Amino acid sequence: DIQMTQSPSSLSASVGDRVTITCRASQSISDYLNWYQQKPGKAPKLLISAASNLQSGVPSRFSGRGSGTDFTLTISSLQPEDFATYHCQQTYSTPWTFGQGTKVDFK
Amino acid sequence: QVQLQESGPGLVKPSETLSLTCTVSGGSVSRNYWSWIRQPAGKGLEWIGRIYSGGSTNYNPSLKSRVTMSVDTSKRQVSLKLESVTVADTAMYYCAREEYYGSGNLWSFDFWGQGTLVTVSS
């Protein structure tokens, strides 16, 4: 199985901060990498597919980069509704696997 | 807008079989892959497996010996059975649609159900 490791596991930030979350794969996964946002008590929501493809309706302050083994999700200016947990996921090979999640909370 | 709704018992006894159904509305079950994903409280997401509308399946090897998925296109339902459950199978269970981007292995979960909590306890 491909292991996905996110860092940090949690971070505290303020509204307006620039936030970057890293996801590292245990082997090269090309750009087969998705990012999801999950709020408490809710299902995950797809933010970015194929490492950098922003989904329709997702604010442009979200961006994704990377290829191979190293990927980042950046929120350029954190908004109150962005406090949530973020998950990366690979679809290079089954079983699809997720990172452990990064919780973004209020500083 | 595609909507998914999971249903099934919220409490299952150890060693018994967990059975869940995902009902799809606002779209067709056909020509899509449907996945089951679970999340223990406070933990990360684990992909259980997926089924194509035609019936072909891919299961997570960690659960493969205990998992069976099926699809009923006429009822717009996808089902999950997990045998011989233990307390470690206690989790929120989600069904999700897989979207394919037509290139290599570019898949993503674009629609999710709200999830159903299953507790394994005697």
Side-chain angles (χ1 to χ4, degrees):
Chain A
D1 299 4
I2 297 174
Q3 305 302 313
M4 306 300 294
T5 304
Q6 288 181 233
S7 60
S9 295
S10 65
L11 67 90
S12 297
S14 301
V15 173
D17 284 354
R18 182 181 181 87
V19 169
T20 297
I21 298 167
T22 297
C23 179
R24 176 164 290 175
S26 60
Q27 66 179 75
S28 177
I29 58 170
S30 184
D31 62 348
Y32 300 144
L33 189 283
N34 301 315
W35 289 98
Y36 300 86
Q37 176 193 64
Q38 185 178 28
K39 296 184 178 179
K42 300 293 187 181
K45 171 190 172 183
L46 179 64
L47 294 179
I48 290 172
S49 62
S52 61
N53 186 23
L54 199 67
Q55 295 301 291
S56 174
V58 175
S60 59
R61 61 181 179 272
F62 290 91
S63 63
R65 297 187 62 179
S67 185
T69 60
D70 294 318
F71 302 85
T72 58
L73 171 70
T74 298
I75 309 171
S76 61
S77 178
L78 197 66
Q79 298 302 301
E81 59 268 30
D82 301 336
F83 290 94
T85 298
Y86 294 86
H87 306 272
C88 63
Q89 178 226 355
Q90 66 82 21
T91 63
Y92 182 81
S93 65
T94 58
W96 306 149
T97 48
F98 293 85
Q100 80 278 18
T102 295
K103 184 177 181 180
V104 177
D105 62 17
F106 291 98
K107 182 180 288 184
Chain B
Q1 177 83 345
V2 174
Q3 292 185 316
L4 290 71
Q5 178 68 59
E6 302 90 347
S7 58
L11 181 64
V12 183
K13 290 182 168 55
S15 80
E16 294 189 345
T17 297
L18 178 161
S19 296
L20 298 176
T21 298
C22 175
T23 301
V24 179
S25 59
S28 174
V29 169
S30 299
R31 293 185 298 279
N32 280 293
Y33 274 97
W34 303 90
S35 273
W36 288 93
I37 298 144
R38 68 181 184 179
Q39 184 175 36
K43 296 190 177 181
L45 298 159
E46 179 182 30
W47 181 71
I48 299 170
R50 67 177 181 172
I51 185 166
Y52 185 65
S53 52
S56 63
T57 56
N58 299 102
Y59 298 145
N60 192 322
S62 67
L63 297 167
K64 186 175 183 177
S65 64
R66 300 194 290 132
V67 170
T68 304
M69 294 182 185
S70 60
V71 61
D72 186 331
T73 54
S74 64
K75 293 182 178 179
R76 296 189 179 183
Q77 290 181 336
V78 180
S79 297
L80 167 70
K81 291 189 187 298
L82 181 64
E83 300 174 354
S84 304
V85 297
T86 70
V87 293
D89 295 310
T90 294
M92 183 70 77
Y93 285 75
Y94 297 100
C95 62
R97 190 182 80 167
E98 288 198 30
E99 174 75 8
Y100 180 56
Y101 295 92
S103 174
N105 255 3
L106 286 174
W107 298 87
S108 67
F109 301 121
D110 62 347
F111 290 101
W112 295 66
Q114 64 186 25
T116 187
L117 179 62
V118 178
T119 301
V120 179
S121 175
S122 55

